[in-house]
Structure formats: structure tokens, C-alpha cells
Amino acid sequence: MSEFSDLARDVYRVCNIKGTFRLRSGQVSNEYFDKYLFESDPRLLKRIGAALKVRLPAGTELLAGLELGGVPVATAIALETGLPLLFVRKKAKEYGTRKLAEGTDFKGKRVTVVEDVVTTGGAILDGVAALRAQGAQIEDVLCVIDRESGGPEKLKEKGLRLIPLFTASELRKSLQSPAEILYGKEKQ
């Protein structure tokens, strides 16, 4: 198995849980990718950061981690690349600096947004709109898992390209043997 396949298998085993879950989008799913389970494992998070470094678009000047799950992933990528990062809140603080995004100045800079799991992209669209309104140049979004629930299409409508480390389908397949993948058999 390749390092990528090993990482997919490990992420899936750590964070995939079954049950009935309401997602941020309002959708109900029988499968949940609990991002905090891979984000709280320093060895796994380091591997994710290294893998996302390879997918980072050329010309990126800053990383923007969205509250809360995008922050540890963006930090892992920053540690791998040396790029500065922003910590982006869902809404600006009502005290202190009253900032939406903490970190270095981003006006006029090419920012790549980082998220953990994407379903429909609603949280990303909110964050990107706020950052663009303050002068950030944003075209790309990195994520660990694309749930394949319409996120890339919604983001594309706003001029954004989603670059996932894994799709939900790839994670599910990571537990299958090579023969099962080759012959299209589902794992029992």
C-alpha cells in the first residue's frame, strides 16, 4: 500500500462513525466523519498536513483556517510549509480587536482557505465572503474530506475550487482489499 492509501485507511478508521447525525447543512446522514478525532491525534494530523502540503496551490501567500476544525489543519500545513496563517472566526469578536480574522495582514494577498470536512460548503462560503470583503484574494479551498454532497459545485458558483485530500468514497474504499476494488465488490 502507498503512504496515501495508508493515510486514507487511518483517517477513515479513526473518524468514521455510524448512526443518525444532523449535519451543519441540515442534512441527516447515517455516517459521520468526526474531524476532531483525527485533528486531536498529533501523529495523524502531521501526516495530513504533509499530504495537504503537496496539494497546496502555487502562489499561496497565506493559509486561512476556518473556526474551529480548519484551524488545526491549517496549522499543520503551516508547520510543513512555513506559510503564515489566519484564524478565521464565524463572526468578528465583540471585544478586544473585534477582528474576524486573527493573524497577519491579508489585504491583497492570495489566501488559500483550509477546512476539515465539506458537505455543502456553507461555512466556507460565509468565511470567504467576509475575507474577500476585507481584501483577500481567494480562489482555492483545501479540505481533508469532501463528503460528496454538493460542496464543490456550490463553491464553484462563487469562483472557488475545492481541493480535497480525500473524498468520502475514497475513504470508504481504503478498507477494501485490492481484489475488492478491482472487481467492484463491496466489503462485507
Side-chain angles (χ1 to χ4, degrees):
M1 267 195 172
S2 72
E3 282 184 45
F4 185 76
S5 297
D6 288 346
L7 180 57
R9 183 198 63 231
D10 293 347
V11 166
Y12 186 78
R13 283 184 176 161
V14 165
C15 77
N16 184 269
I17 52 178
K18 305 293 186 205
T20 302
F21 306 94
R22 181 165 307 280
L23 306 177
R24 180 191 183 278
S25 65
Q27 297 175 7
V28 175
S29 176
N30 64 354
E31 174 181 53
Y32 189 71
F33 295 100
D34 189 343
K35 60 208 169 231
Y36 299 114
L37 295 175
F38 65 74
E39 291 174 342
S40 63
D41 179 332
R43 290 174 298 212
L44 191 52
L45 186 58
K46 180 173 177 45
R47 292 169 58 204
I48 289 168
L52 283 169
K53 173 186 176 181
V54 176
R55 287 180 161 60
L56 189 65
T60 297
E61 297 176 273
L62 286 166
L63 300 166
L66 300 180
E67 181 185 354
L68 175 67
V71 170
V73 177
T75 302
I77 300 167
L79 289 168
E80 291 290 325
T81 63
L83 287 170
L85 63 135
L86 300 169
F87 303 106
V88 184
R89 292 186 173 84
K90 290 180 177 139
K91 68 176 198 166
K93 313 191 289 190
E94 295 179 5
Y95 58 91
T97 60
R98 298 182 180 197
K99 290 181 180 179
L100 172 79
E102 297 287 350
T104 189
D105 181 34
F106 57 88
K107 188 174 182 179
K109 298 213 174 139
R110 183 151 179 218
V111 178
T112 295
V113 170
V114 180
E115 184 61 298
D116 46 22
V117 179
V118 175
T119 302
T120 61
I124 294 167
L125 292 174
D126 293 345
V128 166
L131 291 171
R132 282 178 169 169
Q134 294 181 32
Q137 296 175 8
I138 304 171
E139 298 174 4
D140 298 301
V141 178
L142 286 176
C143 73
V144 180
I145 303 169
D146 171 11
R147 286 185 57 89
E148 300 172 295
S149 298
E153 295 79 13
K154 293 244 189 231
L155 296 176
K156 188 174 182 181
E157 291 172 9
K158 297 296 182 180
L160 296 166
R161 176 177 63 140
L162 183 65
I163 306 166
L165 182 57
F166 303 110
T167 63
S169 297
E170 290 169 335
L171 290 176
R172 287 184 207 106
K173 285 181 182 177
S174 72
L175 295 182
Q176 294 178 323
S177 72
E180 290 170 326
I181 294 168
L182 181 63
Y183 297 109
K185 296 179 183 175
E186 293 297 318
K187 185 168 180 146
Q188 299 298 319

